[in-house]
Short mmCIF file of all heavy atoms in Angstrom, two decimals:
data_model
loop_
_atom_site.label_atom_id
_atom_site.label_comp_id
_atom_site.label_asym_id
_atom_site.label_seq_id
_atom_site.Cartn_x
_atom_site.Cartn_y
_atom_site.Cartn_z
N LYS A 134 -95.03 57.87 -14.20
CA LYS A 134 -93.84 57.21 -13.66
C LYS A 134 -93.02 58.21 -12.86
O LYS A 134 -92.81 59.34 -13.29
CB LYS A 134 -93.01 56.63 -14.80
CG LYS A 134 -93.75 55.56 -15.59
CD LYS A 134 -92.80 54.77 -16.47
CE LYS A 134 -93.52 53.79 -17.34
NZ LYS A 134 -94.26 52.77 -16.68
N VAL A 135 -92.58 57.77 -11.68
CA VAL A 135 -91.74 58.60 -10.83
C VAL A 135 -90.59 57.75 -10.31
O VAL A 135 -90.74 56.55 -10.11
CB VAL A 135 -92.53 59.23 -9.65
CG1 VAL A 135 -93.56 60.21 -10.13
CG2 VAL A 135 -93.17 58.18 -8.78
N SER A 136 -89.46 58.41 -10.09
CA SER A 136 -88.31 57.70 -9.54
C SER A 136 -88.55 57.43 -8.05
O SER A 136 -89.47 57.98 -7.44
CB SER A 136 -87.05 58.55 -9.70
OG SER A 136 -87.10 59.68 -8.84
N LYS A 137 -87.71 56.59 -7.47
CA LYS A 137 -87.83 56.26 -6.05
C LYS A 137 -87.68 57.53 -5.20
O LYS A 137 -88.41 57.71 -4.23
CB LYS A 137 -86.76 55.22 -5.68
CG LYS A 137 -86.98 54.56 -4.36
CD LYS A 137 -86.00 53.42 -4.17
CE LYS A 137 -86.29 52.70 -2.86
NZ LYS A 137 -85.43 51.55 -2.64
N ALA A 138 -86.75 58.40 -5.59
CA ALA A 138 -86.54 59.64 -4.84
C ALA A 138 -87.75 60.57 -4.97
O ALA A 138 -88.20 61.16 -3.98
CB ALA A 138 -85.29 60.36 -5.34
N GLU A 139 -88.31 60.68 -6.18
CA GLU A 139 -89.51 61.51 -6.38
C GLU A 139 -90.68 60.94 -5.59
O GLU A 139 -91.46 61.69 -5.01
CB GLU A 139 -89.89 61.56 -7.86
CG GLU A 139 -88.94 62.37 -8.72
CD GLU A 139 -89.26 62.21 -10.21
OE1 GLU A 139 -89.50 61.06 -10.66
OE2 GLU A 139 -89.28 63.24 -10.91
N ARG A 140 -90.78 59.62 -5.57
CA ARG A 140 -91.87 58.98 -4.84
C ARG A 140 -91.80 59.35 -3.36
O ARG A 140 -92.82 59.69 -2.75
CB ARG A 140 -91.79 57.45 -5.00
CG ARG A 140 -92.88 56.71 -4.26
CD ARG A 140 -92.61 55.19 -4.26
NE ARG A 140 -93.64 54.45 -3.58
CZ ARG A 140 -93.75 54.32 -2.26
NH1 ARG A 140 -92.88 54.91 -1.46
NH2 ARG A 140 -94.74 53.62 -1.74
N ALA A 141 -90.60 59.31 -2.78
CA ALA A 141 -90.44 59.65 -1.36
C ALA A 141 -90.87 61.09 -1.09
O ALA A 141 -91.53 61.37 -0.09
CB ALA A 141 -89.00 59.41 -0.92
N VAL A 142 -90.52 62.00 -1.99
CA VAL A 142 -90.89 63.40 -1.84
C VAL A 142 -92.41 63.57 -1.94
O VAL A 142 -93.03 64.28 -1.15
CB VAL A 142 -90.17 64.28 -2.89
CG1 VAL A 142 -90.73 65.69 -2.93
CG2 VAL A 142 -88.67 64.31 -2.63
N ILE A 143 -93.02 62.89 -2.91
CA ILE A 143 -94.47 62.98 -3.10
C ILE A 143 -95.19 62.43 -1.88
O ILE A 143 -96.15 63.04 -1.39
CB ILE A 143 -94.89 62.23 -4.38
CG1 ILE A 143 -94.39 62.99 -5.61
CG2 ILE A 143 -96.40 62.03 -4.44
CD1 ILE A 143 -94.48 62.21 -6.90
N VAL A 144 -94.75 61.27 -1.38
CA VAL A 144 -95.39 60.67 -0.20
C VAL A 144 -95.32 61.62 0.99
O VAL A 144 -96.34 61.88 1.65
CB VAL A 144 -94.76 59.29 0.13
CG1 VAL A 144 -95.20 58.80 1.50
CG2 VAL A 144 -95.11 58.27 -0.95
N GLU A 145 -94.15 62.17 1.26
CA GLU A 145 -94.02 63.09 2.40
C GLU A 145 -94.85 64.34 2.19
O GLU A 145 -95.57 64.78 3.11
CB GLU A 145 -92.56 63.47 2.63
CG GLU A 145 -92.40 64.40 3.82
CD GLU A 145 -90.96 64.73 4.17
OE1 GLU A 145 -90.04 64.13 3.58
OE2 GLU A 145 -90.76 65.60 5.04
N ARG A 146 -94.78 64.95 1.00
CA ARG A 146 -95.53 66.18 0.74
C ARG A 146 -97.04 65.96 0.90
O ARG A 146 -97.72 66.72 1.56
CB ARG A 146 -95.23 66.71 -0.66
CG ARG A 146 -95.94 68.05 -0.96
CD ARG A 146 -95.77 68.51 -2.39
NE ARG A 146 -96.66 67.71 -3.24
CZ ARG A 146 -96.27 67.10 -4.35
NH1 ARG A 146 -95.04 67.18 -4.77
NH2 ARG A 146 -97.13 66.39 -5.05
N CYS A 147 -97.55 64.89 0.33
CA CYS A 147 -99.00 64.65 0.36
C CYS A 147 -99.49 64.28 1.76
O CYS A 147 -100.55 64.74 2.19
CB CYS A 147 -99.39 63.59 -0.66
SG CYS A 147 -99.12 64.17 -2.35
N LEU A 148 -98.73 63.46 2.46
CA LEU A 148 -99.11 63.11 3.84
C LEU A 148 -99.02 64.34 4.74
O LEU A 148 -99.84 64.49 5.65
CB LEU A 148 -98.25 61.96 4.36
CG LEU A 148 -98.55 60.60 3.75
CD1 LEU A 148 -97.49 59.58 4.18
CD2 LEU A 148 -99.94 60.11 4.12
N THR A 149 -98.06 65.21 4.51
CA THR A 149 -97.96 66.45 5.28
C THR A 149 -99.15 67.34 5.00
O THR A 149 -99.78 67.87 5.92
CB THR A 149 -96.64 67.19 4.95
OG1 THR A 149 -95.54 66.35 5.31
CG2 THR A 149 -96.55 68.51 5.69
N ARG A 150 -99.50 67.50 3.72
CA ARG A 150 -100.64 68.35 3.35
C ARG A 150 -101.94 67.82 3.93
O ARG A 150 -102.85 68.59 4.21
CB ARG A 150 -100.74 68.47 1.83
CG ARG A 150 -99.59 69.29 1.23
CD ARG A 150 -99.71 69.41 -0.27
NE ARG A 150 -100.80 70.32 -0.59
CZ ARG A 150 -101.44 70.33 -1.75
NH1 ARG A 150 -101.10 69.47 -2.69
NH2 ARG A 150 -102.41 71.17 -1.97
N ALA A 151 -102.04 66.50 4.09
CA ALA A 151 -103.24 65.90 4.66
C ALA A 151 -103.19 65.81 6.18
O ALA A 151 -104.11 65.29 6.81
CB ALA A 151 -103.45 64.50 4.07
N GLY A 152 -102.13 66.32 6.79
CA GLY A 152 -102.01 66.33 8.25
C GLY A 152 -101.74 64.97 8.86
O GLY A 152 -102.12 64.71 10.00
N LEU A 153 -101.06 64.08 8.12
CA LEU A 153 -100.84 62.72 8.60
C LEU A 153 -99.37 62.33 8.71
O LEU A 153 -99.04 61.35 9.36
CB LEU A 153 -101.58 61.74 7.65
CG LEU A 153 -101.66 60.27 8.03
CD1 LEU A 153 -102.33 60.09 9.39
CD2 LEU A 153 -102.41 59.49 6.97
N TRP A 154 -98.48 63.07 8.12
CA TRP A 154 -97.07 62.69 8.04
C TRP A 154 -96.46 62.36 9.40
O TRP A 154 -95.84 61.31 9.58
CB TRP A 154 -96.25 63.78 7.34
CG TRP A 154 -94.78 63.54 7.36
CD1 TRP A 154 -93.84 64.20 8.09
CD2 TRP A 154 -94.07 62.53 6.61
NE1 TRP A 154 -92.59 63.67 7.84
CE2 TRP A 154 -92.71 62.65 6.93
CE3 TRP A 154 -94.46 61.55 5.71
CZ2 TRP A 154 -91.74 61.83 6.38
CZ3 TRP A 154 -93.49 60.72 5.16
CH2 TRP A 154 -92.14 60.87 5.50
N ASN A 155 -96.62 63.24 10.37
CA ASN A 155 -95.98 63.03 11.68
C ASN A 155 -96.48 61.78 12.38
O ASN A 155 -95.77 61.19 13.19
CB ASN A 155 -96.17 64.25 12.59
CG ASN A 155 -95.32 65.42 12.12
OD1 ASN A 155 -94.28 65.24 11.50
ND2 ASN A 155 -95.78 66.62 12.40
N GLU A 156 -97.69 61.35 12.06
CA GLU A 156 -98.26 60.16 12.70
C GLU A 156 -97.82 58.86 12.05
O GLU A 156 -97.87 57.81 12.68
CB GLU A 156 -99.80 60.24 12.66
CG GLU A 156 -100.35 61.42 13.45
CD GLU A 156 -101.82 61.65 13.19
OE1 GLU A 156 -102.59 60.67 13.23
OE2 GLU A 156 -102.20 62.81 12.95
N VAL A 157 -97.38 58.91 10.79
CA VAL A 157 -97.08 57.66 10.06
C VAL A 157 -95.69 57.59 9.44
O VAL A 157 -95.34 56.57 8.86
CB VAL A 157 -98.14 57.41 8.95
CG1 VAL A 157 -99.53 57.31 9.54
CG2 VAL A 157 -98.08 58.47 7.86
N LYS A 158 -94.88 58.62 9.57
CA LYS A 158 -93.60 58.68 8.86
C LYS A 158 -92.67 57.51 9.17
O LYS A 158 -91.84 57.15 8.34
CB LYS A 158 -92.89 60.01 9.12
CG LYS A 158 -92.48 60.23 10.55
CD LYS A 158 -91.87 61.60 10.73
CE LYS A 158 -91.60 61.88 12.19
NZ LYS A 158 -91.20 63.27 12.39
N ASP A 159 -92.83 56.88 10.33
CA ASP A 159 -91.97 55.75 10.69
C ASP A 159 -92.58 54.39 10.35
O ASP A 159 -92.01 53.35 10.67
CB ASP A 159 -91.64 55.80 12.20
CG ASP A 159 -90.85 57.03 12.56
OD1 ASP A 159 -90.01 57.47 11.74
OD2 ASP A 159 -91.07 57.59 13.66
N ARG A 160 -93.74 54.40 9.70
CA ARG A 160 -94.38 53.12 9.35
C ARG A 160 -95.06 53.17 7.99
O ARG A 160 -96.16 52.65 7.80
CB ARG A 160 -95.35 52.70 10.45
CG ARG A 160 -96.34 53.76 10.84
CD ARG A 160 -97.10 53.36 12.12
NE ARG A 160 -97.97 54.45 12.50
CZ ARG A 160 -99.25 54.32 12.74
NH1 ARG A 160 -99.83 53.15 12.65
NH2 ARG A 160 -99.97 55.35 13.09
N LEU A 161 -94.39 53.77 7.03
CA LEU A 161 -94.93 53.89 5.68
C LEU A 161 -95.14 52.55 4.99
O LEU A 161 -95.92 52.45 4.05
CB LEU A 161 -94.01 54.77 4.81
CG LEU A 161 -93.88 56.23 5.27
CD1 LEU A 161 -92.86 56.96 4.41
CD2 LEU A 161 -95.23 56.93 5.24
N ASP A 162 -94.44 51.51 5.49
CA ASP A 162 -94.58 50.18 4.88
C ASP A 162 -95.67 49.34 5.55
O ASP A 162 -95.92 48.21 5.16
CB ASP A 162 -93.25 49.43 4.92
CG ASP A 162 -92.70 49.27 6.33
OD1 ASP A 162 -93.12 50.01 7.24
OD2 ASP A 162 -91.84 48.39 6.54
N HIS A 163 -96.38 49.91 6.54
CA HIS A 163 -97.48 49.21 7.19
C HIS A 163 -98.76 49.35 6.36
O HIS A 163 -98.91 50.31 5.60
CB HIS A 163 -97.73 49.77 8.61
CG HIS A 163 -96.67 49.41 9.58
ND1 HIS A 163 -95.55 50.19 9.78
CD2 HIS A 163 -96.54 48.35 10.41
CE1 HIS A 163 -94.78 49.63 10.69
NE2 HIS A 163 -95.35 48.50 11.09
N PRO A 164 -99.71 48.43 6.52
CA PRO A 164 -100.95 48.50 5.74
C PRO A 164 -101.76 49.76 6.04
O PRO A 164 -101.89 50.16 7.21
CB PRO A 164 -101.74 47.26 6.20
CG PRO A 164 -100.75 46.38 6.89
CD PRO A 164 -99.65 47.26 7.40
N GLY A 165 -102.32 50.36 4.99
CA GLY A 165 -103.15 51.55 5.16
C GLY A 165 -104.40 51.27 5.96
O GLY A 165 -104.90 52.12 6.69
N GLN A 166 -104.92 50.06 5.87
CA GLN A 166 -106.14 49.72 6.60
C GLN A 166 -105.90 49.54 8.09
O GLN A 166 -106.85 49.44 8.86
CB GLN A 166 -106.79 48.48 6.01
CG GLN A 166 -107.49 48.78 4.69
CD GLN A 166 -108.45 47.68 4.30
OE1 GLN A 166 -108.16 46.50 4.49
NE2 GLN A 166 -109.57 48.07 3.75
N ALA A 167 -104.63 49.50 8.53
CA ALA A 167 -104.33 49.37 9.95
C ALA A 167 -104.48 50.71 10.68
O ALA A 167 -104.43 50.76 11.91
CB ALA A 167 -102.91 48.83 10.15
N LEU A 168 -104.69 51.79 9.94
CA LEU A 168 -104.84 53.11 10.54
C LEU A 168 -106.24 53.28 11.12
O LEU A 168 -107.17 52.57 10.75
CB LEU A 168 -104.59 54.20 9.48
CG LEU A 168 -103.20 54.22 8.84
CD1 LEU A 168 -103.16 55.22 7.70
CD2 LEU A 168 -102.14 54.53 9.88
N SER A 169 -106.39 54.26 12.00
CA SER A 169 -107.72 54.58 12.54
C SER A 169 -108.59 55.15 11.43
O SER A 169 -108.08 55.52 10.36
CB SER A 169 -107.60 55.60 13.68
OG SER A 169 -107.26 56.88 13.14
N GLY A 170 -109.88 55.26 11.67
CA GLY A 170 -110.80 55.78 10.65
C GLY A 170 -110.41 57.17 10.17
O GLY A 170 -110.40 57.46 8.97
N GLY A 171 -110.09 58.07 11.10
CA GLY A 171 -109.70 59.43 10.73
C GLY A 171 -108.39 59.46 9.96
O GLY A 171 -108.21 60.24 9.02
N GLN A 172 -107.46 58.60 10.36
CA GLN A 172 -106.18 58.51 9.64
C GLN A 172 -106.40 57.93 8.25
O GLN A 172 -105.77 58.38 7.30
CB GLN A 172 -105.20 57.65 10.43
CG GLN A 172 -104.69 58.31 11.69
CD GLN A 172 -103.85 57.36 12.53
OE1 GLN A 172 -104.12 56.16 12.63
NE2 GLN A 172 -102.81 57.92 13.15
N GLN A 173 -107.28 56.96 8.11
CA GLN A 173 -107.57 56.40 6.79
C GLN A 173 -108.16 57.48 5.88
O GLN A 173 -107.82 57.55 4.70
CB GLN A 173 -108.56 55.22 6.90
CG GLN A 173 -107.94 53.97 7.46
CD GLN A 173 -108.93 52.82 7.48
OE1 GLN A 173 -109.94 52.82 6.78
NE2 GLN A 173 -108.64 51.82 8.30
N GLN A 174 -109.01 58.33 6.44
CA GLN A 174 -109.61 59.40 5.64
C GLN A 174 -108.52 60.36 5.16
O GLN A 174 -108.51 60.74 3.99
CB GLN A 174 -110.67 60.14 6.46
CG GLN A 174 -111.44 61.17 5.67
CD GLN A 174 -112.40 60.56 4.69
OE1 GLN A 174 -112.20 59.48 4.16
NE2 GLN A 174 -113.48 61.26 4.41
N ARG A 175 -107.59 60.71 6.02
CA ARG A 175 -106.50 61.60 5.62
C ARG A 175 -105.56 60.92 4.64
O ARG A 175 -105.02 61.56 3.74
CB ARG A 175 -105.76 62.12 6.85
CG ARG A 175 -106.62 63.14 7.62
CD ARG A 175 -105.94 63.69 8.84
NE ARG A 175 -106.04 62.71 9.92
CZ ARG A 175 -105.13 62.56 10.88
NH1 ARG A 175 -104.06 63.32 10.91
NH2 ARG A 175 -105.30 61.65 11.82
N LEU A 176 -105.39 59.60 4.75
CA LEU A 176 -104.59 58.85 3.79
C LEU A 176 -105.24 58.93 2.40
O LEU A 176 -104.56 59.12 1.39
CB LEU A 176 -104.44 57.39 4.22
CG LEU A 176 -103.71 56.45 3.26
CD1 LEU A 176 -102.28 56.93 2.99
CD2 LEU A 176 -103.71 55.03 3.82
N CYS A 177 -106.55 58.80 2.36
CA CYS A 177 -107.26 58.89 1.08
C CYS A 177 -107.16 60.31 0.50
O CYS A 177 -107.07 60.48 -0.72
CB CYS A 177 -108.71 58.46 1.24
SG CYS A 177 -108.87 56.70 1.63
N ILE A 178 -107.16 61.31 1.35
CA ILE A 178 -106.96 62.69 0.89
C ILE A 178 -105.56 62.83 0.30
O ILE A 178 -105.37 63.39 -0.78
CB ILE A 178 -107.20 63.70 2.04
CG1 ILE A 178 -108.69 63.72 2.40
CG2 ILE A 178 -106.70 65.09 1.65
CD1 ILE A 178 -109.01 64.44 3.69
N ALA A 179 -104.56 62.28 0.99
CA ALA A 179 -103.18 62.32 0.49
C ALA A 179 -103.07 61.62 -0.86
O ALA A 179 -102.39 62.11 -1.77
CB ALA A 179 -102.22 61.68 1.50
N ARG A 180 -103.75 60.50 -1.02
CA ARG A 180 -103.73 59.76 -2.29
C ARG A 180 -104.31 60.62 -3.41
O ARG A 180 -103.78 60.66 -4.52
CB ARG A 180 -104.52 58.46 -2.14
CG ARG A 180 -104.49 57.59 -3.38
CD ARG A 180 -105.17 56.26 -3.16
NE ARG A 180 -106.58 56.41 -2.88
CZ ARG A 180 -107.29 55.55 -2.16
NH1 ARG A 180 -106.72 54.49 -1.61
NH2 ARG A 180 -108.57 55.76 -1.97
N SER A 181 -105.37 61.34 -3.12
CA SER A 181 -105.98 62.23 -4.13
C SER A 181 -105.07 63.40 -4.45
O SER A 181 -104.98 63.82 -5.60
CB SER A 181 -107.34 62.76 -3.63
OG SER A 181 -108.26 61.71 -3.57
N LEU A 182 -104.39 63.93 -3.46
CA LEU A 182 -103.49 65.07 -3.70
C LEU A 182 -102.28 64.69 -4.53
O LEU A 182 -101.72 65.54 -5.23
CB LEU A 182 -103.02 65.65 -2.34
CG LEU A 182 -104.09 66.34 -1.50
CD1 LEU A 182 -103.51 66.70 -0.13
CD2 LEU A 182 -104.65 67.55 -2.20
N ALA A 183 -101.88 63.43 -4.50
CA ALA A 183 -100.66 63.00 -5.21
C ALA A 183 -100.73 63.22 -6.72
O ALA A 183 -99.70 63.42 -7.35
CB ALA A 183 -100.36 61.53 -4.91
N VAL A 184 -101.92 63.19 -7.30
CA VAL A 184 -102.03 63.39 -8.75
C VAL A 184 -102.24 64.87 -9.10
O VAL A 184 -102.46 65.20 -10.26
CB VAL A 184 -103.15 62.53 -9.36
CG1 VAL A 184 -102.83 61.05 -9.23
CG2 VAL A 184 -104.50 62.85 -8.78
N ASN A 185 -102.13 65.74 -8.11
CA ASN A 185 -102.28 67.19 -8.31
C ASN A 185 -103.56 67.58 -9.04
O ASN A 185 -103.54 68.20 -10.08
CB ASN A 185 -101.08 67.78 -9.05
CG ASN A 185 -99.86 67.90 -8.19
OD1 ASN A 185 -99.97 68.15 -6.99
ND2 ASN A 185 -98.70 67.70 -8.76
N PRO A 186 -104.73 67.19 -8.48
CA PRO A 186 -105.98 67.58 -9.14
C PRO A 186 -106.17 69.09 -9.09
O PRO A 186 -105.65 69.76 -8.20
CB PRO A 186 -107.04 66.86 -8.32
CG PRO A 186 -106.45 66.79 -6.94
CD PRO A 186 -104.97 66.57 -7.19
N ASP A 187 -106.91 69.61 -10.05
CA ASP A 187 -107.25 71.03 -10.05
C ASP A 187 -108.28 71.32 -8.96
O ASP A 187 -108.30 72.41 -8.40
CB ASP A 187 -107.81 71.45 -11.41
CG ASP A 187 -106.79 71.32 -12.52
OD1 ASP A 187 -105.59 71.50 -12.25
OD2 ASP A 187 -107.19 71.04 -13.66
N VAL A 188 -109.15 70.36 -8.72
CA VAL A 188 -110.23 70.49 -7.74
C VAL A 188 -110.27 69.19 -6.93
O VAL A 188 -110.12 68.11 -7.50
CB VAL A 188 -111.59 70.70 -8.45
CG1 VAL A 188 -112.74 70.70 -7.45
CG2 VAL A 188 -111.59 71.98 -9.27
#
Side-chain angles (χ1 to χ4, degrees):
K134 298 194 184 299
V135 294
S136 70
K137 194 172 183 177
E139 289 171 315
R140 180 190 181 280
V142 169
I143 291 167
V144 168
E145 181 176 352
R146 183 186 76 230
C147 293
L148 288 171
T149 299
R150 291 181 72 202
L153 188 57
W154 174 252
N155 288 333
E156 297 168 48
V157 300
K158 64 183 174 189
D159 296 325
R160 52 191 176 127
L161 296 175
D162 58 341
H163 289 90
Q166 285 196 321
L168 299 173
S169 72
Q172 289 173 323
Q173 287 183 20
Q174 186 72 329
R175 288 180 281 150
L176 176 60
C177 293
I178 291 168
R180 183 175 64 208
S181 292
L182 292 173
V184 295
N185 285 326
D187 296 329
V188 175

